[in-house]
């Protein structure tokens, strides 16, 4: 179809149809505006509370999304195993915390030290794992038809998930894994709150505000760490030599090669950085949601991939924006609509946004085809 | 290949098939008097904690019978089948269907002990119903619609839709959700709960039990603030819990009921409930038998302390002699267990073996699936490990006792026995 014709006539018709359907079917799926307005009026501070929850959850999604978007930007591959690398990050962090004795420690300084060590180990392990996956499953297929690496990515995802399933049953590594096998969720102790309580501080930073709001040290850490990682990554991509090489490879691999850029090195570096970010996200998610589960990478991966597409695939700022948007949408839907419909509303909104901006909110940044 | 050679090959193939058919279709000789009993339970994923104890108990029962039936005339073998897949991490519709078809096609199988999940039973009952019918005995299914109609809880065409041959072939030793609702409502009233918020995992089992708790609690005079489904794969439920914390006229409800199985992120729901609304003393947390497992406690950690869950059966201290003996025998072979389904698995296997013995005693042929099936439905006043019980005409057990357990010191301990 002629694209200008599409833009002028078909899109407005679809938009009107969608809006009509939302207003018509909305109340069935609990999108009932009078009810929502009255519940906001009844408790205005709660709006801020949902904002905080949405931002913190969105921050984790955003950091995982960075890995998706970087890899896609460079080799145009959806690395399906990426969400599962993040899951391995959670287990690596938990195991490190256990082996260093941090899980049972009451000393705030030692907990902080243990968390730092866990962060370093999780980043290192996940970076290595992601690069190994690239070397093992994607490198040989780099010039194969696009579907081949996609299938091997799905295969890697299953393999990594099953590693998590086995890992979660190893109670000699982490005693709290217990005796019920690796299938169920495992506890990731709430170390940050314990640390604060042992320093005689309230983990809720807004406890004295009197508004009944919860903005805990966990929310703060997750949001700040996400912001720092994103700014650091942006600086790296824009200002360093390797970052420049990455951008060049993303734009045109052959031309970059001709300019003397070592493509393999650039791609390995991309997977290392993406995996490291997933490892950091794993530790953050563990500390924030206090949960380790072999299956958690699947949903996280789906959401982050969606975030990456929403923000414009290959676009780092876009991935962050997409992640925060998904987190906020889910929080507000859980809070003001019926949780039964949250996924439906999140994805309906995404479809609507992509309808008007098919290349994502901030536009794609992928290679130009010759 | 020429036409002639093709014809010759075809004749050979058909002839060999006919010969093979003669081999299996012939009269039962001494070597072929084997009766096979299989179970189909999810043994990959979080449910394994529970299903492994069922399988152990079933094996224990067969071993106690010496692997023989009808005075040694038949050898009884037991095979535990898995109806879960690693891809889903829980029961898989494709695998359960495959299991049922496999059982239907194997003439030595006379009883199918399963399923664990009610959704799985919906798929396998109709297949086995047209295969003899082959008797099914479930140690765990609680969805009422599989055996009887309940206004507002089951579909209009249930249960007949599962029995295309017209005959019934499905019995269960677990009490059904429609009773469970009343039991939980009675328990809530006894704990002086006045307002209740209900969450469900949007599956057949979870929503079914949540709906029945909703109906029974309302009937018992408890105010149900709302019933809501949650996304079983979400990273957390802090926003949902924040909403619930002010849902009851600006404050939290007295209790939250969670209709879910442990695989569906229940530990995270419990953890976030405690994080936002306080411990399980401040706002009670009550779950069905799907949450009566150590897996919930390992997932939720300290947040599980004080949580309640119900399960079919009696408190161990209230069990009769046979029940006490079962736990002693189980502990001697596999180590002690607190998983509630073990004893149900044991009685499901007992019922299957009893049906086989009854067919023999009446001079029948226990390899005849229909005869075994009739004998299952004829079980009356059976002295099982659970107590003395019967199957009614729908295949439901007549011993609807429920145990309420509470997490104390990191494990479920018996809180009390409740009836509908």
């Amino acid at each position: 179809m002629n694209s200008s014709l599409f833009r002028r006539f078909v899109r407005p018709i679809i938009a009107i149809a969608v809006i009509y359907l939302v207003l018509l079917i909305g109340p069935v799926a609990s999108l009932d505006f009078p009810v929502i307005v009255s519940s906001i009026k009844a408790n205005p501070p709660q709006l801020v509370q949902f904002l905080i929850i949405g931002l913190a959850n969105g921050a984790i999604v955003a950091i995982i999304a960075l890995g998706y978007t970087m890899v896609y930007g460079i080799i145009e591959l959806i690395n399906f195993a990426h969400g599962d690398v993040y899951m391995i990050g959670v287990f690596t962090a938990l195991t490190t915390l256990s082996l260093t004795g941090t899980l049972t420690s009451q000393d705030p300084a030692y907990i902080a030290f243990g968390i730092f060590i866990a962060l370093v180990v999780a980043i290192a392990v996940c970076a290595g794992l992601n690069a190994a996956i690239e070397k093992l499953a994607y490198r040989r297929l780099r010039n194969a038809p696009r579907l081949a690496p996609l299938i091997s990515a799905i295969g890697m995802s299953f393999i990594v998930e099953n590693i998590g399933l086995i890992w979660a049953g190893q109670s000699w590594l982490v005693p709290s894994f217990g005796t019920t096998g690796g299938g169920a969720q495992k506890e990731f102790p709430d170390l940050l709150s314990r640390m604060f309580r042992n320093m005689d501080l309230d983990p809720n930073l807004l406890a004295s505000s009197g508004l009944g709001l919860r903005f805990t040290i966990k929310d703060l850490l997750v949001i700040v760490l996400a912001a720092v990682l994103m700014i650091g990554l942006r600086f790296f991509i824009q200002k360093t030599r390797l970052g420049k090489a990455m951008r060049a490879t993303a734009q045109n691999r052959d031309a970059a090669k001709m300019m003397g850029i070592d493509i393999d090195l650039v791609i390995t570096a991309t997977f290392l950085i993406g995996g490291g970010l997933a490892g950091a996200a794993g530790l953050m998610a563990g500390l924030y949601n206090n949960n380790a589960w072999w299956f958690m990478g699947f949903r996280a991966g789906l959401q982050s991939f969606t975030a990456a597409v929403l923000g414009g695939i290959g676009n780092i700022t876009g991935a962050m924006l997409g992640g925060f948007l998904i987190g906020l949408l889910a929080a507000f839907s859980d809070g003001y609509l019926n949780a039964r419909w949250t996924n439906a509303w999140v994805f309906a909104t995404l479809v609507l946004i992509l309808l008007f901006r098919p290349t994502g909110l901030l536009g794609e940044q992928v290679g130009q085809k010759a | 290949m020429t036409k002639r050679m093709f014809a010759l090959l075809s004749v050979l193939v058909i002839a060999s098939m006919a010969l093979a058919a003669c081999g299996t279709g012939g009269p039962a000789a001494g070597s072929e008097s084997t009766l096979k009993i299989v179970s189909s339970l999810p043994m990959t994923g979080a449910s394994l904690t529970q299903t492994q104890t069922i399988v152990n108990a079933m094996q224990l029962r067969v071993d106690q019978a010496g692997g023989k039936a009808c005075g040694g005339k038949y050898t009884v073998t037991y095979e535990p089948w898995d109806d879960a897949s690693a891809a889903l991490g829980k029961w898989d519709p494709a695998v359960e269907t495959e299991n049922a078809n496999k059982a239907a096609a194997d003439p030595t199988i006379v009883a199918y002990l399963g399923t664990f999940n009610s959704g799985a039973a919906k798929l396998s009952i109709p297949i086995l119903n047209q295969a003899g019918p082959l008797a099914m005995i479930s140690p765990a299914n609680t969805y009422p619609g599989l055996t009887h109609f309940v206004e507002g809880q089951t579909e209009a065409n249930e249960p007949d839709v599962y029995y295309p041959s017209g005959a019934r072939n499905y019995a269960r030793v677990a009490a059904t959700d429609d009773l469970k609702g009343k039991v939980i409502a009675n328990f809530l009233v006894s704990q002086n709960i006045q307002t209740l918020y209900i969450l469900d995992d949007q599956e057949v089992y979870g929503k079914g039990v949540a709906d029945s708790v909703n109906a029974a609690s309302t009937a018992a005079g408890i105010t149900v603030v709302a019933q809501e489904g949650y996304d079983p794969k979400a990273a957390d439920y802090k926003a949902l819990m924040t909403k619930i914390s002010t849902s009851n006229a600006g404050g939290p409800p007295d209790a939250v009921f969670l209709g879910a199985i442990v695989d569906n992120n229940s530990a995270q729901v419990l953890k976030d409930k405690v994080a936002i609304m306080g411990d399980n003393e401040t706002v009670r947390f009550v779950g069905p038998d799907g949450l009566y497992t150590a897996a919930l406690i390992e997932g939720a950690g300290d947040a599980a302390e004080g949580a309640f869950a119900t399960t079919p059966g009696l408190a161990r201290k209230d069990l009769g002699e046979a029940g006490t003996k079962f736990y002693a025998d189980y502990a001697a072979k596999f180590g002690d267990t607190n998983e509630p389904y073990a004893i149900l698995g044991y009685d499901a296997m007992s019922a299957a073996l009893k049906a086989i013995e009854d067919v023999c005693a009446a001079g029948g042929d226990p390899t005849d699936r229909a005869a075994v099936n009739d004998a299952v439905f004829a079980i009356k006043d059976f002295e099982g490990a659970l107590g003395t019980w019967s199957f009614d005409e729908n295949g439901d057990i007549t011993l609807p006792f429920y145990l309420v357990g509470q997490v104390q010191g990191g494990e479920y301990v018996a809180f009390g026995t409740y009836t509908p």
Side-chain angles (χ1 to χ4, degrees):
Chain A
M1 192 194 304
N2 185 319
S3 77
S4 70
L5 192 73
F6 180 79
R7 202 166 296 141
R8 197 171 304 163
F9 296 108
V10 181
R11 265 207 287 188
I13 292 173
I14 296 175
I16 290 167
V18 169
I19 291 166
Y20 177 74
L21 278 175
V22 165
L23 290 176
L24 190 72
I25 316 175
V28 178
S30 73
L31 186 70
D32 193 338
F33 288 106
V35 172
I36 294 168
V37 170
S38 70
S39 48
I40 294 175
K41 263 190 197 154
N43 193 348
Q46 214 167 50
L47 192 74
V48 182
Q49 186 67 66
F50 292 135
L51 194 75
I52 295 169
I53 294 169
L55 282 177
N57 271 319
I60 295 168
V61 173
I63 294 187
I64 307 170
L66 290 178
Y68 271 102
T69 221
M70 282 174 64
V71 166
Y72 191 91
I74 295 226
I75 56 171
E76 295 188 27
L77 165 76
I78 302 165
N79 181 11
F80 273 109
H82 191 71
D84 302 303
V85 171
Y86 147 80
M87 176 271 295
I88 292 293
V90 181
F91 279 103
T92 308
L94 185 53
T95 306
T96 312
L97 290 170
S98 171
L99 295 179
T100 55
T102 316
L103 289 187
T104 48
S105 168
Q106 296 293 337
D107 177 10
Y110 191 74
I111 293 176
F113 170 73
I115 290 175
F116 177 73
I117 296 293
L119 181 70
V120 172
V121 175
I123 288 176
V125 167
C126 289
L129 176 66
N130 211 27
I133 289 173
E134 191 271 330
K135 189 151 192 185
L136 205 73
Y138 306 150
R139 183 164 296 181
R140 281 154 221 262
L141 297 172
R142 203 176 286 158
N143 296 314
R146 193 67 58 79
L147 281 176
L150 196 71
I151 299 298
S152 71
I154 293 171
M156 285 315 295
S157 163
F158 278 122
I159 291 171
V160 177
E161 269 177 21
N162 279 282
I163 292 174
L165 185 58
I166 295 166
W167 195 334
Q170 309 305 314
S171 48
W172 57 277
L173 282 174
V174 186
S176 64
F177 281 172
T179 55
T180 58
Q185 294 132 314
K186 303 297 173 188
E187 211 215 350
F188 197 119
D190 190 356
L191 292 171
L192 288 170
S193 301
R194 188 199 294 167
M195 193 172 110
F196 258 56
R197 264 188 225 106
N198 289 352
M199 291 193 292
D200 289 325
L201 295 169
D202 195 324
N204 181 5
L205 306 175
L206 293 181
S208 53
S209 70
L211 287 168
L213 285 177
R214 288 169 50 88
F215 182 72
T216 63
I217 176 68
K218 298 198 279 184
D219 299 273
L220 182 72
L221 180 94
V222 166
I223 294 170
V224 167
L225 201 54
V228 168
L229 285 174
M230 194 205 105
I231 293 166
L233 187 67
R234 241 196 108 72
F235 175 82
F236 173 80
I237 298 281
Q238 298 297 337
K239 304 287 180 206
T240 65
R241 216 177 142 75
L242 187 57
K244 208 172 187 180
M246 278 179 178
R247 279 185 291 140
T249 311
Q251 249 175 27
N252 191 323
R253 204 191 293 167
D254 293 330
K257 213 180 214 166
M258 277 186 264
M259 295 298 137
I261 293 174
D262 183 348
I263 303 293
D264 282 343
L265 182 77
V266 167
I267 292 176
T268 303
T270 309
F271 274 86
L272 279 172
I273 294 168
L277 289 169
L283 175 78
M284 283 159 56
L287 289 172
Y288 183 63
N289 288 328
N290 308 118
N291 189 9
W293 190 22
W294 67 277
F295 202 64
M296 66 199 297
F298 178 78
R299 171 57 61 89
L302 190 69
Q303 284 193 333
S304 340
F305 176 64
T306 313
V309 174
L310 185 67
I313 193 103
N315 187 321
I316 284 166
T317 321
M320 291 298 282
L321 191 67
F324 282 119
L325 198 64
I326 286 182
L328 287 173
L329 271 171
F332 282 117
S333 174
D334 272 0
Y336 289 116
L337 314 178
N338 190 316
R340 208 182 285 284
W341 296 94
T342 292
N343 270 325
W345 284 122
V346 167
F347 283 92
T349 313
L350 302 188
V351 168
L352 207 60
I353 290 174
L354 289 177
L355 208 60
F356 288 97
R357 293 198 62 92
T359 54
L361 288 170
L362 300 184
E364 286 179 5
Q365 285 180 5
V366 288
Q368 294 134 354
K369 299 289 158 306
Chain B
M1 193 188 301
T2 65
K3 258 191 189 151
R4 191 171 301 173
M5 264 184 73
F6 183 75
L8 189 69
L9 259 176
S10 307
V11 168
L12 274 174
V13 167
I14 290 167
S16 64
M17 276 165 72
L19 278 171
C22 279
T24 56
S31 63
E32 280 168 320
S33 55
T34 294
L35 302 173
K36 202 194 281 182
I37 299 173
V38 296
S39 63
S40 181
L41 306 163
M43 304 192 68
T44 308
S47 292
L48 178 66
T49 321
Q50 294 160 317
T51 53
Q52 185 61 54
T53 65
I54 300 178
V55 168
N56 287 349
M58 288 178 171
Q59 188 64 55
L60 174 69
R61 183 67 188 83
V62 174
D63 292 348
Q64 283 174 347
K68 299 278 180 202
C70 306
K73 269 201 311 207
Y74 293 91
T75 303
V76 178
T77 61
Y78 165 56
E79 282 179 16
W81 292 356
D82 186 357
D83 72 356
S85 66
L88 295 189
K90 57 178 187 179
W91 78 274
D92 185 327
V95 181
E96 176 59 30
T97 307
E98 190 192 318
N99 281 356
N101 282 321
K102 211 161 70 179
D106 182 347
T108 62
I109 295 177
V110 292
Y112 187 90
L113 304 183
T115 57
F116 189 72
N117 307 82
S118 296
K122 285 184 166 187
L123 302 174
S124 43
I125 295 172
I127 297 170
L128 301 178
N129 185 255
Q130 298 170 85
L134 176 57
M136 255 179 103
I137 306 172
S138 167
N141 296 157
T142 56
Y143 177 62
L146 299 172
T147 50
H148 59 272
F149 176 76
V150 181
E151 184 68 46
Q153 285 180 39
T154 67
E155 305 294 329
N157 59 357
E158 285 176 335
D160 294 342
V161 65
Y162 305 118
Y163 304 98
S165 78
R168 287 300 191 96
N169 67 315
Y170 172 83
R172 53 177 148 194
V173 293
T176 52
D177 291 333
D178 48 336
L179 305 174
K180 196 181 292 178
K182 289 202 193 88
V183 172
I184 292 168
N186 286 349
F187 165 70
L188 292 172
V189 169
S190 78
Q191 296 300 303
N192 202 23
I193 301 296
Q194 279 151 18
T195 52
L196 179 68
Y197 205 102
I198 299 176
L199 292 171
D200 68 66
D201 65 6
Q202 317 199 47
E203 283 194 4
V204 173
Y205 166 80
K207 184 160 188 306
V209 65
D211 287 347
S212 66
V213 167
N214 193 338
S217 302
T218 309
I222 296 169
T223 307
V224 175
V225 180
Q227 179 178 339
E228 200 165 340
Y230 72 92
D231 170 9
K233 303 257 183 312
D236 78 337
Y237 304 97
K238 293 188 183 72
L240 178 60
M241 290 305 164
T242 302
K243 175 173 70 177
I244 296 175
S245 71
T246 57
S247 62
N248 176 30
D254 291 343
V256 173
F257 177 81
L258 180 66
I261 52 173
V262 72
D263 312 54
N264 281 337
N265 224 349
S266 307
Q268 188 67 45
V269 176
L270 174 53
K271 226 176 292 186
D272 286 333
K273 184 241 125 196
V274 170
I276 305 287
M277 281 188 277
D279 62 23
N280 297 313
E281 199 63 45
T282 318
V283 176
R284 304 295 175 99
F285 179 90
V286 186
D289 45 344
L291 301 185
Y292 198 99
T293 162
L296 178 79
I297 303 167
E298 280 168 15
D302 293 342
E305 205 60 21
F308 292 103
T310 59
T311 180
L314 285 150
R316 226 161 119 171
K317 57 183 190 310
D318 301 337
L319 279 172
E321 204 179 312
T324 312
K325 184 177 178 308
F326 161 74
Y327 276 106
D329 292 346
Y330 187 100
K333 194 155 183 187
F334 305 104
D336 202 18
T337 182
N338 268 326
E339 293 294 336
Y341 285 103
I343 194 166
L344 295 170
Y346 185 82
D347 265 16
M349 180 59 89
S350 291
L353 294 177
K354 168 147 174 63
I356 291 170
E357 295 289 351
D358 288 352
V359 170
C360 286
D365 175 9
T367 61
D368 176 5
R369 287 176 172 180
V372 174
N373 182 45
D374 289 344
V376 167
F377 278 79
I379 290 175
K380 291 282 172 287
D381 300 325
F382 175 63
E383 308 268 340
L386 289 167
T388 304
W389 55 265
S390 311
F391 281 129
D392 68 12
E393 73 278 10
N394 292 326
D396 288 319
I397 192 169
T398 54
L399 192 75
F401 278 115
Y402 277 87
L403 164 70
V404 173
Q406 187 182 27
V407 180
Q408 289 173 11
E411 62 174 343
Y412 275 111
V413 293
F415 186 77
T417 307
Y418 291 80
T419 51

